[in-house]
Amino acid sequence: MSDKRVYSDNPRVLAVQTLAKIKNGAYSNLQLNQVIKQHHLGEADTRLLTTLVYGVIQHRLTFDYWLAPFVKNKKIDSWVTELLYTALFQMVYLDKIPQHAIFNESIEVAKVMGHVGTAKFVTAILHNIDRQGLRSTTDISDTVTRLSVEASLPVWLIETLINQNGETKTRQIVATINDAPSQSVRVNTTLASDDEVKAALEAENFSAIASKVAAHAFVVNGGHVASSKAYHDGLLTIQDESAMLSVESLQLTENVKNILDAAAAPGGKTTQIAQYIADDAKVLALDIHEHKIKLIQHNAERMHLSDKIKTRVLDARKVPEQIDQQFDRILVDAPCSGFGLLRRKPEIRYDKTLADVESLSRLQLAILNSVSKNLAKDGIMVYSTCTILRQENDDVVTSFLNDNPNFELIPTETSQNLKEDRHEKVLHVYPDDYYTDGFFVAVLRKK
């Protein structure tokens, strides 16, 4: 069953090819964008391609469970498995495509990418599924294993979430992670008001609903915002609502003059800081990669904020050695496992391990310990991540405070007073709380 590496503009062929590459290590968003650029697809075909790719990635373990009784121990090419997964996704999750059309299209893809034998094999599998139906997950007696299959998350992650949050909250979290992510934007308040940006978006046929999570933000529907004139003119930037909270928690005032953004790329939070500081204040944005520094600079230029932003290629762990300056505020939006981003980057659930999480927590602590030496007396340092695992969140903060008794943890404050009745000073935002990305924010003050 050989893949003939065919060139096709058929979205189902492209979906299978794209999924095979992602399975071999390609990033879903980059691979998908590349395919869309290379092929001349209409809006409907682009939408189908995107839906198939992300749908299969999100439900891969579920499909594996369903398909296993039909393929048994037969050795089949990976692209054939991906093709069968796309068929299952359409059968179970898309209600507008008739089953006969799904079968016919899938068999045609098998012919195009393989040969007659491949098509016969795929035909037999699909008709067996039609006759016998898909086995229920209620057949799985173990709770963790069943939840792993149902949510298509690795067993170790389910176990960790249950241990940290309980089974009820874990079920609430995983029930939402395969939903489509919302598209949200932050207003560039240095160029326009909220009302002006809302009007500009509506003039381009977008709908804009004020965020209930962050200030100067909208949830947007109606198309690709990055293609809008409002985006091009720098009136707004694309940023998840929860990702805006770490800068809100920095307690920026007119008296804050020097800010360090220690792991800044691609610059969303850097430009957010620049919006809220005085004209004579500066934010220094660091990243370890030159090409990511260029992303920060590009964002700053587009939003007309370059005069407040300096950039530098530097590993944040080397800040005390390379920078003499003391900062009023420091933001450490740390490199993390990204498990708060499962809606946007579904493949990370298969790529990351518990060992990766533990390794990242050591890196995060090293960055915090390093940059904290450059925080001025009475200064504030915000530590944030886009993960929902306590090893990278609470445990890192606890370790830092144990190592640095001259720091204290103070309550995380946000513009909308999120979770104001919580009993802890840090802020955990889970994907099911507000249907945003999962996020963590802790605020540390130097005594």
Side-chain angles (χ1 to χ4, degrees):
M1 299 181 186
S2 62
D3 173 2
K4 293 184 289 193
R5 306 294 174 190
V6 296
Y7 182 91
S8 172
D9 287 330
N10 181 325
R12 289 179 172 82
V13 172
L14 294 175
V16 172
Q17 292 174 332
T18 302
L19 285 163
K21 288 178 181 175
I22 293 168
K23 190 72 166 62
N24 288 330
Y27 290 112
S28 62
N29 58 334
L30 299 179
Q31 187 62 41
L32 196 55
N33 287 341
Q34 182 180 334
V35 170
I36 291 170
K37 284 180 181 178
Q38 289 175 345
H39 295 267
H40 304 290
L41 303 180
E43 186 177 334
D45 283 348
T46 299
R47 190 163 53 247
L48 177 59
L49 168 63
T50 304
T51 300
L52 290 177
V53 169
Y54 280 117
V56 168
I57 297 172
Q58 288 171 331
H59 300 284
R60 190 178 292 281
L61 296 183
T62 312
F63 295 154
D64 189 47
Y65 173 78
W66 283 338
L67 197 57
F70 300 101
V71 298
K72 300 193 182 336
N73 295 319
K74 295 186 181 73
K75 183 173 176 58
I76 60 177
D77 288 348
S78 60
W79 71 266
V80 178
T81 302
E82 303 300 334
L83 171 59
L84 291 168
Y85 285 172
T86 62
L88 282 171
F89 175 73
Q90 292 172 85
M91 290 165 65
V92 176
Y93 295 102
L94 299 185
D95 55 8
K96 292 183 179 178
I97 305 177
Q99 182 166 294
H100 68 85
I102 296 169
F103 281 23
N104 291 341
E105 292 286 353
S106 300
I107 293 164
E108 189 60 33
V109 172
K111 290 178 184 176
V112 170
M113 294 185 65
H115 47 64
V116 175
T118 318
K120 288 182 178 178
F121 175 79
V122 169
T123 301
I125 294 290
L126 292 176
H127 284 293
N128 283 339
I129 289 172
D130 185 38
R131 283 193 297 270
Q132 299 174 34
L134 300 169
R135 58 179 175 170
S136 171
T137 55
T138 57
D139 297 340
I140 306 172
S141 58
D142 179 69
T143 299
V144 172
T145 305
R146 183 169 66 251
L147 198 50
S148 168
V149 170
E150 289 172 348
S152 196
L153 293 173
V155 167
W156 75 264
L157 183 55
I158 295 291
E159 288 176 339
T160 301
L161 290 172
I162 290 176
N163 288 338
Q164 295 179 359
N165 304 286
E167 184 178 333
T168 300
K169 180 62 174 177
T170 297
R171 286 186 176 278
Q172 291 169 350
I173 292 170
V174 303
T176 68
I177 56 147
N178 291 325
D179 295 340
S182 61
Q183 183 176 219
S184 56
V185 300
R186 191 189 76 247
V187 175
N188 182 359
T189 52
T190 64
L191 294 182
S193 67
D194 291 5
D195 288 344
E196 287 169 337
V197 167
K198 180 179 172 66
L201 286 169
E202 289 175 346
E204 294 188 69
N205 297 317
F206 293 97
S207 70
I209 301 169
S211 171
K212 296 179 180 179
V213 175
H216 307 298
F218 292 100
V219 178
V220 179
N221 291 295
H224 187 228
V225 178
S227 302
S228 69
K229 186 177 186 299
Y231 178 87
H232 181 268
D233 291 346
L235 303 185
L236 56 83
T237 195
I238 298 171
Q239 190 177 18
D240 188 76
E241 297 164 272
S242 61
M244 303 177 200
L245 301 176
S246 52
V247 173
E248 287 191 1
S249 305
L250 271 173
Q251 301 181 25
L252 297 171
T253 67
E254 289 287 312
N255 296 324
V256 174
K257 301 301 182 186
N258 299 299
I259 307 98
L260 175 67
D261 190 351
K269 297 176 184 67
T270 310
T271 56
Q272 188 179 1
I273 292 169
Q275 283 179 216
Y276 298 136
I277 57 178
D279 290 341
D280 60 342
K282 288 286 187 291
V283 52
L284 174 60
L286 308 180
D287 199 88
I288 198 169
H289 301 292
E290 176 71 43
H291 70 279
K292 290 188 175 182
I293 287 291
K294 289 178 180 176
L295 287 176
I296 300 171
Q297 293 168 342
H298 175 73
N299 268 324
E301 289 166 6
R302 181 179 60 81
M303 299 182 73
H304 305 275
L305 292 166
S306 298
D307 57 331
K308 294 182 183 178
I309 296 170
K310 294 180 180 178
T311 58
R312 182 170 172 179
V313 178
L314 182 65
D315 186 329
R317 291 171 292 183
K318 297 181 179 178
V319 163
E321 305 166 24
Q322 301 289 328
I323 298 175
D324 295 331
Q325 186 177 1
Q326 294 285 292
F327 296 92
D328 304 318
R329 299 287 187 270
I330 295 178
L331 173 61
V332 179
D333 187 49
C336 70
S337 60
F339 281 114
L341 308 178
L342 284 170
R343 291 193 191 103
R344 300 183 195 282
K345 298 180 178 179
E347 71 271 21
I348 64 174
R349 69 187 77 191
Y350 313 116
D351 298 338
K352 297 287 193 301
T353 65
L354 187 57
D356 293 328
V357 169
E358 290 166 349
S359 176
L360 282 163
S361 69
R362 292 190 290 272
L363 170 63
Q364 292 151 356
L365 180 59
I367 291 173
L368 269 182
N369 279 326
S370 171
V371 301
S372 66
K373 295 177 173 60
N374 288 67
L375 186 66
K377 182 181 176 183
D378 296 323
I380 287 174
M381 180 168 66
V382 167
Y383 174 71
S384 62
T385 73
C386 55
T387 189
I388 54 177
L389 301 182
R390 289 180 180 259
Q391 291 97 322
E392 300 176 75
N393 295 336
D394 308 72
D395 294 354
V396 170
V397 171
T398 299
S399 295
F400 174 79
L401 290 171
N402 289 337
D403 294 342
N404 299 272
N406 58 327
F407 277 78
E408 62 180 339
L409 184 66
I410 63 175
T412 298
E413 298 176 359
T414 62
S415 63
Q416 310 283 14
N417 295 319
L418 300 182
K419 299 189 175 184
E420 58 183 341
D421 59 345
R422 68 186 190 274
H423 300 297
E424 52 190 0
K425 293 179 179 178
V426 299
L427 176 64
H428 291 272
V429 176
Y430 294 97
D432 63 305
D433 290 339
Y434 308 104
Y435 294 90
T436 64
D437 291 344
F439 226 81
F440 172 82
V441 187
V443 183
L444 299 151
R445 181 164 60 201
K446 192 170 189 177
K447 298 178 186 177

